[in-house]
Amino acid sequence: MRPNTDSRLFATLYGRLAISLMVVFVAIGAIMIVTSQRMFETQRLFELVANLVVGTVVFSLIAALVVFRFLTLRLRRLACAIEAFRASGFAHPIRVDTQNGNDDEIGRIIGAFQEMSERIATQLAQLEQVDRQRRELLANVSHDLRTPLASMQGYLEMVLIRDEGLSQDDRYRYLQIAVKHCERLARLVRDLFDLTKLEANEVRLQVEAFPISELAQDVVQKFALSAHKRDLRLSASVCADCPPIRADIGMMERVLENLIENAMRYTPAGGEINVGVRRTGDRVELQVSDTGRGIHHDDIGNVFDRYYRADRGESSDAGNAGLGLAITRRIIELHGGRIRVESTPGLGTTFTVDLAMA
Ligand SMILES: Nc1ncnc2c1ncn2[C@@H]1O[C@H](COP(=O)(O)OP(=O)(O)OP(=O)(O)O)[C@@H](O)[C@H]1O
Ligand SMILES: [Mg+2]
């Protein structure tokens, strides 16, 4: 339905100005008629004309000032709000009371300014956050690269300097430690590289239909020996009629490896780890649960963040960079799935991946 012309006219600045002026002139007209009648009666013609001219000019000036002040009131408020926005370092968006949703030209300008200021404030906050994260990332990466590099250099130099003075066993041991640090460095660089590519959407998925339950059992098998060495009970419980999923096998293997590695790392000897696959409606659910130390509820919201480690202090030298879950989540997102975590400190943690059936 088209809005009524009168109300539309009143909703514009031009319409308001015209109506205000009309009211002023009608008032002047009425006063003129009343005074002229009285003066005609008393035959004071010259005085009548002079009074009318002066009266009209003064009245029009006052009326114009009042109308102008009324119409520019919101513009002045907007100017003050913009000033305050600038003074706040573009952090607090503009808030102007637009008097019951007034939507004339000034109302729309104020609305647009409010929206613009909100955008500027959010984007500025985002930029600052990204910049902070980038600086943190650089600091963390350089720290994590420096530690294994320094150890590697130390052990290799020792082998070189002490050369003949080293027994065959010691030489072998030092070289082995150097190789371990080298592997850790290679893993860190690989994870960083992979995560950067995953986040930049530069990874091409090799999607195919395959039974995730078989893959889960294979990966569990792969970790069986190291779990046994650490006195952990690692088992798989997959449903017999688990439907296949459409995914990149290599990536899904990486997801399982990251989750099982974490479970093994954060579960003390004697604990249990279970990898389960089951069907829930038209989805397939993959679960990795452990009876480990769990994640504190203050940390649980951040574990999927890149470079986040709940235990930064105690394990910063243990070779884990805090990239595993960030990579895992990105892979799952690229497959259109979801990952969530539930944990009770001291009792254990369960990661659940929800994927679409093929
Ligand atoms: N199963 C788990 N039990 C307890 N804490 C966990 C578990 N899985 C993850 N976490 C916590 O979440 C943090 C982030 O995990 P993530 O896999 O991203 O990094 P990481 O294992 O420390 O390092 P990386 O995987 O890069 O070697 C871990 O540092 C740990 O504090
Ligand atoms: Mg990990």
Side-chain angles (χ1 to χ4, degrees):
M1 217 175 76
R2 290 188 56 189
N4 178 321
T5 332
D6 291 347
S7 65
R8 261 182 52 192
L9 185 67
F10 194 68
T12 65
L13 198 63
Y14 172 74
R16 284 195 191 163
L17 192 64
I19 289 168
S20 310
L21 287 177
M22 255 165 58
V23 171
V24 169
F25 284 115
V26 168
I28 294 174
I31 294 169
M32 276 165 68
I33 291 167
V34 173
T35 36
S36 53
Q37 260 179 354
R38 285 184 52 207
M39 289 195 175
F40 261 128
E41 284 161 13
T42 52
Q43 300 284 307
R44 285 152 52 202
L45 264 180
F46 179 72
E47 200 184 333
L48 167 71
V49 172
N51 280 355
L52 279 180
V53 169
V54 172
T56 311
V57 169
V58 171
F59 195 81
S60 301
L61 269 175
I62 294 172
L65 279 176
V66 171
V67 169
F68 186 74
R69 191 173 166 73
F70 168 72
L71 288 176
T72 55
L73 179 70
R74 284 172 299 146
L75 281 179
R76 282 197 305 279
R77 281 191 191 151
L78 177 64
C80 287
I82 291 176
E83 226 16 82
F85 180 48
R86 200 166 55 177
S88 76
F90 305 100
H92 305 299
I94 291 174
R95 286 270 164 269
V96 181
D97 180 15
T98 49
Q99 292 172 354
N100 316 324
N102 226 330
D103 72 339
D104 59 9
E105 290 89 331
I106 297 181
R108 291 206 295 275
I109 289 175
I110 292 175
F113 264 104
Q114 275 180 185
E115 210 179 302
M116 263 164 47
S117 68
E118 271 159 25
R119 283 251 177 105
I120 291 173
T122 3
Q123 287 189 347
L124 210 65
Q126 275 170 359
L127 274 178
E128 277 167 8
Q129 199 192 352
V130 167
D131 190 50
R132 206 171 37 245
Q133 280 176 349
R134 192 185 52 81
R135 270 184 279 127
E136 260 171 38
L137 183 79
L138 269 178
N140 292 339
V141 168
S142 41
H143 171 261
D144 285 348
L145 290 180
R146 213 171 40 213
T147 316
L149 260 178
S151 305
M152 223 162 69
Q153 190 182 3
Y155 282 104
L156 289 177
E157 275 175 2
M158 189 132 69
V159 172
L160 273 179
I161 294 166
R162 290 179 55 191
D163 194 22
E164 298 294 301
L166 273 181
S167 70
Q168 196 62 26
D169 280 354
D170 280 348
R171 181 191 304 269
Y172 181 73
R173 198 160 54 85
Y174 292 158
L175 286 177
Q176 238 185 353
I177 296 173
V179 167
K180 212 183 95 207
H181 285 297
C182 194
E183 281 168 0
R184 177 179 156 188
L185 206 62
R187 183 171 173 254
L188 178 64
V189 172
R190 181 203 68 178
D191 281 356
L192 267 173
F193 184 67
D194 288 350
L195 184 61
T196 313
K197 279 209 305 187
L198 282 164
E199 286 184 343
N201 277 335
E202 278 173 14
V203 176
R204 201 173 266 271
L205 298 180
Q206 311 279 325
V207 177
E208 58 187 295
F210 67 93
I212 181 80
S213 45
E214 277 180 26
L215 179 70
Q217 279 168 324
D218 288 351
V219 180
V220 165
Q221 204 53 45
K222 201 161 86 180
F223 281 92
L225 189 62
S226 57
H228 181 71
K229 277 188 192 158
R230 296 184 196 194
D231 192 18
L232 294 168
R233 263 180 294 152
L234 175 63
S235 58
S237 49
V238 300
C239 52
D241 59 340
C242 275
I245 61 162
R246 272 185 69 77
D248 184 310
I249 300 188
M251 297 259 177
M252 281 300 142
E253 190 172 349
R254 184 87 178 267
V255 165
L256 278 159
E257 283 171 1
N258 282 351
L259 294 178
I260 297 174
E261 250 171 35
N262 277 355
M264 285 178 40
R265 185 179 291 154
Y266 303 111
T267 304
E272 276 180 43
I273 297 162
N274 183 262
V275 180
V277 181
R278 64 190 176 118
R279 182 185 183 152
T280 51
D282 59 347
R283 315 276 299 174
V284 176
E285 217 172 63
L286 175 76
Q287 251 179 6
V288 177
S289 46
D290 61 62
T291 57
R293 65 170 197 207
I295 305 169
H296 196 269
H297 55 261
D298 287 343
D299 295 310
I300 207 152
N302 303 100
V303 289
F304 293 104
D305 291 350
R306 156 159 55 111
Y307 252 98
Y308 192 86
R309 289 191 304 230
D311 49 359
R312 178 162 282 280
E314 77 190 60
S315 68
S316 58
D317 288 335
N320 46 327
L323 295 173
L325 286 179
I327 292 175
T328 303
R329 180 171 65 176
R330 190 71 198 122
I331 292 177
I332 300 298
E333 281 172 356
L334 283 179
H335 284 84
R338 282 184 303 260
I339 180 162
R340 59 177 197 277
V341 56
E342 285 146 299
S343 184
T344 314
L347 286 182
T349 307
T350 301
F351 282 91
T352 308
V353 178
D354 176 56
L355 293 159
M357 252 165 49

